[in-house]
Amino acid sequence: MSYDIELRQRVIDFVESGGKKAEAARIFQVSRATIYNWLSRDSLEPTPRVPSEQKLNKAALLEHVKAYPDAL
């Protein structure tokens, strides 16, 4: 889930104006780890998600089924 940039900026402004991170987490309903992450970054823009490799290679499965059609 990606948070809106406006929300990110409001959280950062709250913390930088003297608010506690735990209090900001309760008020804005985000985790403290997320707040620490936002504070350590240069930009508040969301990072693009890189798709991970699937556990099951569908092309290899198709070849296996073709080679062994009676296998369970």
Side-chain angles (χ1 to χ4, degrees), residues 8-59:
R8 295 173 186 223
Q9 191 60 53
R10 286 193 340 236
V11 172
I12 297 302
D13 290 344
F14 178 83
V15 172
E16 288 179 347
S17 67
K20 295 182 180 182
K21 295 171 192 75
E23 185 179 4
R26 281 192 302 275
I27 291 171
F28 297 103
Q29 296 181 348
V30 297
S31 70
R32 282 186 297 153
T34 299
I35 295 173
Y36 280 105
N37 183 0
W38 291 344
L39 288 169
S40 68
R41 294 171 58 181
D42 293 331
S43 171
L44 292 178
E45 295 289 325
T47 54
R49 184 166 185 249
V50 178
S52 61
E53 187 175 319
Q54 299 295 318
K55 290 182 179 181
L56 183 63
N57 183 336
K58 291 185 180 182

